[in-house]
Every structure is written in C-alpha cells, then in structure tokens.
C-alpha cells in the first residue's frame, strides 16, 4: 500500500528540503537547542537551587515549542521565504481543487513541524531521564508540540493571501504569535490552560489530566484557518482578487 | 511454639540525691519474638541528647543458635527521615550477648524501634519510647561508687543532667561521647575496662572532650587506664592558686582535682569550684558544617565528556545536510535519514547515561586534624551525596567510622568490618562522617634568629603533598617533605592566605577554608600548624568505583621542650 501525499504538500516539501536557506534555519535551530542542552548538563543543574532535572527538560521542551511554532508559522506566512515554494495566490491559478490546496498547506505545516521536532530528538535524548517510563510522556509532549504549531501556520497561510503588505502581514503574525504565547498567560484559570507552554508542560507532566481538552481550540483554529484558505482560493478564482 | 512475649526493660540506675528522675527511662519495650529477648537501654542513665550519637545498649538472649542483624530505627517528621543502624550478631543459646548500637535520636515523638532481623524477615520487634523529660542538652557522666551528689552542683533547673555510670557503661566508641559534656571520675574500677573503652575515652578527650579526675595524683598513678592522661606537662593554672591541674590531651583537657564532689558535706567553696569546672565549655570541633559551603554544589561533567558531547553535536549539525537531502531521494534516502536520526539519538542517549553516571557521586571535604602527641588523627568528612535523580546510593567507609545524614532522608548505616552507608535521597543529601585513625606524623617548630625552623617526622608511610606552614594567620610553603625533613622558613616569604571566595577549584577552596578555621580555632590559632595533602583514604567515604577524595591534614607543631 502506498500513501499518496498531497501534491501541494509534496511540492512544498521538495522546495524546502532542497533549500539552502531552510538548511541553515534548521542548523540554527539545532545549534541553539544544542547550546541549551549543553548548558543544562551538570553542574549547571545543581547551581540553581530548586531547578531540578525535570524542570530543566521541561524548560528545554518549552523553548523548543517556541522555535517550532515560530518557524512553522513564519514559513507559512512567508516571513521566511523559500525559493520555489508556491504561495496560495500562485496555487489559486492552478487546477488543484481549493480543498487540496488548503489541506496541502496544512499538511506542509504539520510535516515541517514534525520534522523540526524529530530533528531535536537527539538533543532530547541527551537530557531525558533514563527511565523507560519517561518515553511515553516525552513522546506525548513532542506530539502536542506539533499539534500546537499547526494552527498558527494555518492562519498564517490564509494571511499570505489576505494581507498583501509584507510588513503588515509580519506584524499581524507577530501579534498572533505573542498573543498566543504571552497574552494567554494572563488569562484566568481555566482559560490560562490555553497557553501552549502550559499545555506542553501538562502533556509532559500528565497533570491536569484534562489537558487534552485544551487542544480543542487549537484544532478549531487550524480547521478555521484551513477553511478560510479554501474559501479564499475560491474567491480568487471567482473574482480574480482575494 | 513460643508465643509473643512481654519483655521488661532493665531499670535504669539513675538516682539523684534530692530528686530522682520523674520516669524510668527508657520505656519498657514490648515486642514479638522468635525465642529472642532483649533488655534495652537508651542513652546514658536514660538521658538522651538529640542530634548526637547515643548508645542503645542491648542485652540479647536467645533460646537457640541464631545469626541475624540487630536494627535500630529512629525517625523524624520534619524534615521526614528514617535512620537505621544495623549490626550483625550471632546469638548462642542461653548466653547473654551484650551489644551497643550507636543511634541518633531526632524526634522524641517518633519511637525508637529495635528489631532483630533473621533471614530477611523480622524475628522480633521492640519499640522503645523515650519520655520527654529525658531529653537534655548534655550529659555529665559521673563514675562513682555512690550515685549521688553531682546534680546539686550543676543545679536542678538546667538542661545538663548527670548520669551515674559504672566502668561497664563507658562507651567503647569515642563518637558515643558526643552528647557528653564532661566525664567526672572518682571511683573507677579500671580493671573492668576493655581496651576499646580506654581508647574511646582517650579518643574522645583528644577530640576536645573534658575528663575531670577527682582524685589525688598519687591515686591516679596507680590506675593504668588513667595514668597516661597526666603524663603531659600541665598547663599554666587558670588563675593563681587554682586547686586543679590541667593536662592537655589532644584538643581536650584532663583536669585533676583532689576534691571529691560526691561527698554529702561538700563545702560551698568547693561546690563553687566544681560548678565552674563543670560549666566550662567543650572545645568546639575544627570541622563543622561551614565546610559544606565550600564544596561544589555539583560534581560537574568532566572536560573530556563535555568535549565529546560538543563534538557529537557538531557532527550532528554537519549531518543535517545529508539527512534533509536524503529525504528527497526516495525510500533509500528516507531509510538513510531515519538511520542517521536513530544513530544520533542512540549516541546522545549514551552520553546522557555517561553524564548521569558521573553526576551521581559524593563531593566531600575531608580534614584530618592530627591530635598533638597522640599519634592519631581525627578524620572528619563533610560531604554532599549527589544523585542525578531521586534514587539509591551506597557509600563505604573504614571500620569504626560513623556516618550520619545532615538532612531528612532514608538511610541505613551498616556497621561491619567495612562500614556501609546507604539509602535513598532527593537530588542531594549532606552527610558527615568521623573516625580516628593512627597517624604517626609529628612536627616540631622552633623560632630562631634566622626565622622559624620546622622539623617534620613522617612515619606513616604516606606521602605529604604541597606542605604549607601556618603561623599567626600567615602561610609559607615548605619544600617537598621526606620521612624526616627540616626546613627554615624565611621571615620575608610569609603571605596572607586567600579567602575562600577568592579562589577556584575544590582543593583550593578547602585549603582556604582550613586557613580560615585555623585563624579562629581556640586550640590551634596560638600554635604553628602544618597543612598538607595526605595520601590516605582511611575514614573517607567512598563511592564505589570512583577515586577517593583528597585528605587535608592539619598537623599542629609542638615546640620542643626547653625551647624559647
């Protein structure tokens, strides 16, 4: 049985994997996380009273989440442009159905986020507790990281066509990014659990047990972003402009 | 089959002339047994000094031949902790087996529990509760035929209590005197003392204890156990006309006074003098908890391992290119990328384990203070057990070493030929160990016209490294020392030692700490001391498979008799 990859996703991934810029982005990402991992080795962990090993790993995962979410959405929104990768407006004039284009972009974001998470697995292995019991909770946290990175990218994909000004689009992207990561910290409980950092921490720690519910709004945002992208492709085809 | 039995605790011999203790101590232990009975006494005369090593004296009897382990458990609520001490015993039928187990009582609300373990199970249990009135700040051990008299001198309201003991009750481990404020000897049948008891008494006095012998000098000379204490020339009297004669003994003092404090008609002047003598403080120990502050908080990752980790991560960065490009080349490329990722993960996971193995260790400062003219050294180790995650640890130490946790934890001290200290702890557990070891190293100094001349005689067979002489708060390095060395120190080469915070590295920090302590030490500050690293791992806590910590020797130098 062969899995048919969405043609839009296949094209995007080819462009990204062949791009020297993306390779450097990937190197930068791995290098920064490597530095954090090296600085987390003893004696650093012991010099900060109260900062125990679990918290250090959690800190690493949260830092990684920030990187994964930013890079995934920045590529989707066009803030980091990849030579050869087609944007929504380019794809709107092709024969691909709008649904294929919208879902293809969603898949591109999800697979790229997964690739970023996978690239950091050797670094996680450098810090992780050496118990077998720690593997499921780590895998859970890494999977959640991918899920959390996708909604912003889905909205970002729509923004590429909805806002023509690069500057304005970048500003909106940063506002959304900061709003998601920073503003949600000031929400009152239980809304504060919508903060992606808290969700990853909860997924790693396993508490509160209802943490998967906090993913629902993100899935809804991803669905909404994809639907908006599909409608926008239709609008472009119908009216010639977004 | 023998059913559960009730065991009566032997009554304590404590009696005070004016007011006997409110309750006999310790309480009667009741427990299940398998043909094993035990008489149990805790502390001295039933008095217990918290947070100090105390004897739990057992007299075990068995109806059958049995080999097992006696375990004494003490616990505390805040911070939570359980400390066990285990000693292996072999009981012969119907023959009493005396045994003394050193324990530290932390919390009187938690009963002390004595168990007899046999073949992995509990054969008998005897809980012992200690009445609150038995908790004291210190105990004066009075060795006298008539158990009366001394408490009135000390006063009834204080927290120092007198325990009247016989020669048999004197501990055979010097550490068990930790809660003892002074030992007053009047009638000592020293023929009943075993050599270990004599050594323990001498060792405790040498570490700073106070022995007061209430007998004329002529009487002391006729007692082999006491006679050596008055051999060192006496110190100048504390004031003109003082009736006592004080002999230095290591860091401690032996006071000889021909006034019987136990007599009923003690004149007020003599009572006042005894009040003064008993009120004199003990010499504080040279090594204290401040040593913990100079130890590294963590052992760190070795430089070689750090280099390997950095190289691995660098290589991984280089491999990112073939990894991403491989994904473009179909299945074979995917397989290559997956293999690279799995390989890199396996390597970093291995490095993770290597780091953790190195991170679980003990960091300790070990200081041996040679006790002047005794040929022994008090080796004390203050350390921190570091665990990469909450888990178990096991340390080894030489025989006669007692190890204690300095924080709440679950620990077991196994007192066999090789002492084992094991347990479970959070990421870090401060610990302390102490022992006396023979150390035939002697030093003399003489102040001459060309400067200070020192003479070191090292018959220990162990190498002294980086010797430094400490005098009046200043230091001067010595040339390498041989078995017998002599050196004259230049008056121009003295310098101030660096402060702890001004130096880096565990050895330099320990050295700076020692110089700071020497400045403030009541016994050592007036004299000249040799400070050097000693190639000796007796008494040091060992983490199996790891190299021993260096030992810092502090050797007080004596002035030759007749020297200016």
């Amino acid at each position: 049985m062969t899995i048919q990859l969405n043609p839009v996703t296949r094209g995007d991934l080819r462009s990204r994997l062949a791009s020297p810029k993306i390779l450097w982005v990937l190197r930068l990402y791995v290098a920064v996380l490597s530095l954090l991992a090296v600085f987390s080795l003893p004696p650093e962990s012991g010099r900060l009273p109260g900062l125990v090993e679990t918290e250090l790993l959690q800190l690493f995962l949260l830092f990684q989440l920030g990187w994964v979410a930013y890079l995934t959405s920045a590529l989707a929104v066009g803030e980091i442009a990849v030579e050869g990768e087609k944007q929504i407006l380019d794809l709107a004039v092709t024969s691909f159905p709008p649904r294929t284009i919208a879902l293809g972009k969603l898949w591109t974001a999800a697979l790229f986020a997964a690739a970023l998470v996978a690239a950091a697995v050797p670094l996680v292995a450098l810090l992780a507790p050496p118990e077998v019991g720690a593997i499921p909770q780590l895998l859970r946290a890494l999977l959640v990281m991918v899920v959390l990175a996708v909604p912003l990218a889905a909205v970002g994909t729509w923004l590429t066509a909805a806002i023509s000004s690069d500057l304005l689009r970048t500003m909106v992207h940063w506002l959304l990014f900061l709003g998601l990561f920073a503003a949600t910290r000031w929400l009152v409980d239980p809304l504060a659990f919508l903060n992606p950092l808290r969700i990853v921490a909860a997924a790693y720690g396993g508490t509160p047990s209802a943490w998967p519910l906090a993913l629902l709004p993100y899935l809804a945002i991803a669905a909404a972003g994809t639907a908006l992208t599909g409608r926008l492709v239709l609008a472009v085809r119908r009216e010639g402009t977004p | 089959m023998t059913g559960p039995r009730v065991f009566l605790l032997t009554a304590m011999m404590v009696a005070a002339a004016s007011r006997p203790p409110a309750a006999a101590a310790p309480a009667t232990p009741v427990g299940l047994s398998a043909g094993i009975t035990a008489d149990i006494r805790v502390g001295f005369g039933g008095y217990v000094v918290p947070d100090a090593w105390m004897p739990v004296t057992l007299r075990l009897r068995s109806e059958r031949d049995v080999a097992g382990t006696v375990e004494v458990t003490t616990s505390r609520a805040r911070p939570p902790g359980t400390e066990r001490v285990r000693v292996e015993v072999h009981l012969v039928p119907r023959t009493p087996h005396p045994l003394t187990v050193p324990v530290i009582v932390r919390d009187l609300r938690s009963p002390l529990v004595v168990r007899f373990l046999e073949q992995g199970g509990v054969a008998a249990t005897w809980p012992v509760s200690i009445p609150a009135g038995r908790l004291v700040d210190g105990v004066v051990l009075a060795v006298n035929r008539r158990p009366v008299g001394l408490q009135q001198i000390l006063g009834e309201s204080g927290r120092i209590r007198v325990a009247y003991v016989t020669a048999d009750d004197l501990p055979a481990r010097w550490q068990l005197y930790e809660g003892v404020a002074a030992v007053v000897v009047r009638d000592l049948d020293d023929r009943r003392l075993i050599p270990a008891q004599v050594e323990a008494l001498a060792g405790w006095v040498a570490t700073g204890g106070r022995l007061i012998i209430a007998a004329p000098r002529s009487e002391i000379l006729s007692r082999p156990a006491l006679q050596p204490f008055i051999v060192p020339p006496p110190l100048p009297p504390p004031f003109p006309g003082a009736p006592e004669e004080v002999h230095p003994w290591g860091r401690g003092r032996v006071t000889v006074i021909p006034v019987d404090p136990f007599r009923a008609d003690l004149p007020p002047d003599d009572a006042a003098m005894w009040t003064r003598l008993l009120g004199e403080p003990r010499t504080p120990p040279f090594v204290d908890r401040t040593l913990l502050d100079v130890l590294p908080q963590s052992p760190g990752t070795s430089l070689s391992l750090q280099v390997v980790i950095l190289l691995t991560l660098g290589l991984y960065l280089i491999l990112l290119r073939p990894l991403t490009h491989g994904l473009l080349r179909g299945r074979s490329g995917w397989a290559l990328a997956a293999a690279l990722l799995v390989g890199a993960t396996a390597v970093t996971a291995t490095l993770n384990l290597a780091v953790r193995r190195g991170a679980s260790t003990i960091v300790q400062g070990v200081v041996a203070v040679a006790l002047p003219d005794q040929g022994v050294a008090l080796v004390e180790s203050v350390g921190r057990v570091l665990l990469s995650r909450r888990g178990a640890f096991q340390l080894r130490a030489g025989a006669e070493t007692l190890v204690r946790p300095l924080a709440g934890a679950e620990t077991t001290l196994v007192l066999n030929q090789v002492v084992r200290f094991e347990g479970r702890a959070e990421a870090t557990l401060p610990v302390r160990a102490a022992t006396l070891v023979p150390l035939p190293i002697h030093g003399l100094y003489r102040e001459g016209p060309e400067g200070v001349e020192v003479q070191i005689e090292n018959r220990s067979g162990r190498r002294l490294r980086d010797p430094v002489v400490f005098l009046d708060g200043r230091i001067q390095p010595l040339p390498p020392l041989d078995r017998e060395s002599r050196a004259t120190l230049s008056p121009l080469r003295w310098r101030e030692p660096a402060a702890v915070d001004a130096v880096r590295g565990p050895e330099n920090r320990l050295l700076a700490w020692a110089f700071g302590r020497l400045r403030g030490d009541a016994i050592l500050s007036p004299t000249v001391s040799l400070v050097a690293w000693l190639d000796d791992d007796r008494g040091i806590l060992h983490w199996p498979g790891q190299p021993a910590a260096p030992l810092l020797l502090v050797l007080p130098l004596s002035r030759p008799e007749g020297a200016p």
Side-chain angles (χ1 to χ4, degrees):
Chain A
M1 192 181 95
T2 54
I3 299 169
Q4 284 295 321
L5 197 59
N6 182 301
V8 174
T9 304
R10 191 166 54 228
D12 284 351
L13 289 182
R14 278 191 173 280
S15 306
R16 290 188 184 185
L17 290 173
S19 162
K21 188 191 279 182
I22 291 297
L23 183 61
W24 279 110
V25 166
L26 195 60
R27 280 177 179 158
L28 180 71
Y29 160 78
V30 171
V32 171
L33 288 180
S34 297
L35 274 181
L36 184 63
V38 167
F39 284 128
S40 301
L41 295 174
E44 278 62 29
S45 55
R47 282 188 185 151
L48 303 169
L51 191 59
V52 294
E53 176 190 47
T54 314
E55 289 167 354
L56 271 172
L57 181 60
Q58 219 171 66
L59 197 72
F60 178 90
L61 292 175
L62 300 182
F63 192 63
Q64 186 189 359
L65 169 68
W67 270 94
V68 171
Y70 170 72
L71 291 176
T72 309
S73 60
L75 280 160
V77 89
E79 198 173 308
I80 302 172
V82 179
E83 54 274 36
E85 184 176 329
K86 289 187 167 52
Q87 296 299 328
I88 290 294
L89 291 179
D90 304 323
L91 291 165
V93 295
T94 63
S95 58
F96 292 130
R99 180 187 161 84
T100 304
I101 295 170
L103 283 177
K105 284 293 179 187
L106 187 74
W107 271 112
T108 301
L111 288 175
F112 190 75
L116 287 175
V117 168
V121 165
L123 308 176
V124 176
L126 188 62
L127 298 177
E131 292 110 6
V132 177
I135 295 175
Q137 62 190 90
L138 267 173
L139 289 178
R140 205 164 55 207
L142 295 177
L143 183 66
V144 165
M145 218 177 273
V146 176
V147 174
L148 291 173
V150 170
L152 202 56
V155 175
T157 306
W158 171 69
L159 287 177
T160 53
I163 303 174
S164 54
S165 161
D166 286 349
L167 180 65
L168 186 60
R169 199 167 55 236
T170 302
M171 282 174 64
V172 172
H173 171 236
W174 272 101
L175 276 175
L176 286 173
F177 185 77
L178 291 175
L180 197 63
F181 277 82
T184 49
R185 290 180 64 84
W186 288 299
L187 292 174
V188 291
D189 282 343
L191 289 177
F193 278 103
L194 292 176
N195 184 281
L197 300 174
R198 287 188 74 164
I199 297 174
V200 168
Y204 178 65
T207 53
S209 55
W211 66 266
L213 291 177
L215 290 177
L216 293 178
Y218 287 90
L219 295 176
I221 292 171
T226 308
L228 283 171
T229 305
R231 289 182 63 162
L232 195 135
V233 172
L234 270 178
V236 170
R237 285 184 179 170
R238 202 165 40 235
E239 299 162 21
T241 54
Chain B
M1 182 179 156
T2 309
R5 290 183 174 188
V6 176
F7 298 101
L8 290 176
L9 174 72
T10 50
M12 301 313 299
M13 295 177 296
V14 178
S18 59
R19 196 183 69 181
T28 303
V30 180
L32 298 172
S33 79
I36 304 164
T37 64
D39 293 334
I40 305 166
R41 287 182 291 160
V42 182
F44 294 105
Y47 292 115
V48 172
V49 180
D51 297 323
W53 287 111
M54 283 279 122
V56 171
T57 311
L58 299 107
R59 203 169 176 81
L60 296 158
R61 284 189 186 85
S62 173
E63 294 172 1
R64 59 197 169 93
D65 190 272
V66 55
T69 302
V70 169
E71 177 189 271
V72 184
T73 305
T74 56
S75 52
R76 60 177 168 187
R78 283 185 199 163
T82 304
E83 293 167 35
R84 296 183 186 86
V85 181
R86 286 182 182 161
V87 183
E88 284 179 9
V89 290
H90 182 196
L91 304 181
V92 178
R94 289 171 294 283
T95 304
H97 185 99
L99 178 71
T100 300
V101 182
V103 297
I104 295 178
V105 176
R106 309 277 189 184
D107 187 350
L108 284 186
R109 287 165 296 182
S110 308
L112 179 147
V113 180
V114 181
R115 292 188 182 90
F116 191 89
L117 310 177
E118 186 186 5
Q119 293 174 347
V122 179
T125 303
W126 302 282
V128 182
S129 57
I130 303 162
R134 292 299 177 156
L135 189 74
V136 295
D137 289 344
V139 176
V140 171
L141 292 188
V143 189
N144 189 39
R145 209 172 293 126
R146 289 185 308 124
V148 289
L150 209 56
Q151 189 68 66
Q152 295 101 306
I153 294 171
L154 272 173
E156 298 289 342
S157 57
R159 298 262 294 169
I160 305 284
R161 308 303 293 183
V162 178
Y164 295 94
V165 296
T166 63
D168 295 343
D169 300 323
L170 290 176
R173 279 180 187 272
W174 68 271
Q175 296 102 324
L176 289 177
Y177 283 99
E178 186 181 358
V180 174
V183 175
V184 179
V185 174
R186 176 69 191 92
D187 301 313
L188 176 67
D189 184 2
D190 59 359
R191 288 166 303 178
R192 295 186 65 85
L193 291 176
I194 60 171
Q197 285 176 297
V198 179
E199 286 166 18
L201 181 62
W204 168 69
V205 179
T207 60
R210 294 178 54 232
L211 172 64
I212 306 173
I213 308 173
R217 192 179 166 81
S218 56
E219 193 181 322
I220 298 169
L221 289 170
S222 66
R223 295 187 189 167
L226 296 180
Q227 187 266 337
F229 287 113
I230 60 169
V231 170
L235 298 169
F239 55 88
E244 73 263 32
E245 194 177 276
V246 181
H247 298 265
W249 187 264
R251 288 175 64 78
R253 280 162 296 159
V254 178
T255 304
V256 176
I257 182 161
V259 177
D260 181 1
F262 301 97
R263 50 190 275 206
D265 56 343
L266 192 66
D269 286 353
D270 287 350
M273 180 192 65
W274 270 98
T275 305
R276 171 175 63 82
L277 283 178
L278 294 172
E280 283 175 2
R282 276 196 58 183
T283 310
F286 184 79
V287 175
D288 60 10
R289 276 190 75 138
T290 59
L291 180 52
L292 265 183
D293 301 334
V294 306
L295 298 177
Q297 298 283 326
S298 164
T301 305
S302 69
L303 185 64
S304 55
L305 195 53
Q306 285 186 43
V307 170
V308 171
I309 289 170
L310 285 172
L311 286 175
T312 304
L313 294 177
L315 184 66
Y316 180 57
L317 279 174
I318 294 168
L319 288 175
L320 282 175
R321 185 186 164 91
L323 199 146
T324 52
H325 284 206
L327 294 173
L328 292 168
R329 290 195 206 110
R331 283 186 182 170
S332 62
W334 278 82
L336 175 71
L340 281 175
L341 197 62
V342 170
T345 305
V347 171
T348 52
T350 309
L351 290 171
N352 181 353
L353 289 177
V355 168
R356 280 163 195 280
R357 204 168 294 130
S360 292
T361 186
I362 179 170
V363 289
Q364 58 184 323
V366 192
V367 180
V369 180
L371 302 170
D373 306 320
Q374 301 297 311
V376 295
L378 169 62
V379 180
E380 288 191 90
S381 166
V382 174
R384 200 178 273 125
V385 174
L386 297 159
L387 298 163
S388 62
R389 61 185 188 280
R390 181 180 157 78
F393 65 88
Q394 190 183 87
L395 301 170
R396 285 164 196 270
E400 306 302 319
T401 305
L402 289 189
V403 193
R404 72 171 82 180
L406 297 176
E410 194 182 314
T411 61
T412 304
L413 178 64
V414 184
L415 297 173
N416 291 329
Q417 268 310 97
V418 174
V419 172
R420 273 199 342 258
F421 182 66
E422 55 199 32
R424 301 185 69 80
E426 295 294 338
T428 174
L429 176 68
V431 295
R432 180 169 191 159
T435 191
L436 280 172
V437 296
L439 194 70
I441 303 178
H442 303 281
L444 297 171
Y445 81 99
R446 185 184 288 111
E447 287 177 55
E450 293 175 9
V452 176
E453 185 187 308
V454 297
Q455 189 180 335
I456 310 295
E457 185 187 4
N458 178 6
R459 299 201 181 281
S460 68
R462 295 162 198 276
R463 194 170 68 91
L464 285 168
R465 175 167 60 87
D466 302 332
V468 175
V469 171
F470 181 92
L471 168 64
D472 288 337
R474 294 177 304 158
I475 56 171
Q476 185 169 152
L478 278 181
L481 298 175
D482 297 323
R483 194 176 156 90
E484 284 186 32
S485 304
R486 193 186 288 258
T488 302
L489 301 172
S490 162
L492 303 174
R493 291 184 58 205
W494 291 103
R495 63 179 171 84
E496 294 283 328
V500 171
D501 294 335
V503 293
R504 292 178 68 85
E507 285 200 7
N508 290 335
R509 284 172 64 83
L510 180 56
L511 206 54
W513 173 87
F515 292 140
R517 291 292 297 166
L518 276 170
R519 259 199 215 106
D521 187 79
I523 300 292
L524 298 180
S525 60
T527 187
V528 179
S529 295
L530 174 83
V531 179
W533 297 100
L534 182 65
D535 176 22
D536 188 346
D537 61 358
R538 294 172 296 168
I540 297 176
L541 292 168
H542 292 272
W543 187 286
Q546 293 185 358
L551 185 150
L552 188 66
L553 172 71
V554 176
L555 173 72
L557 305 182
S558 314
R559 206 188 276 255
E561 279 185 51

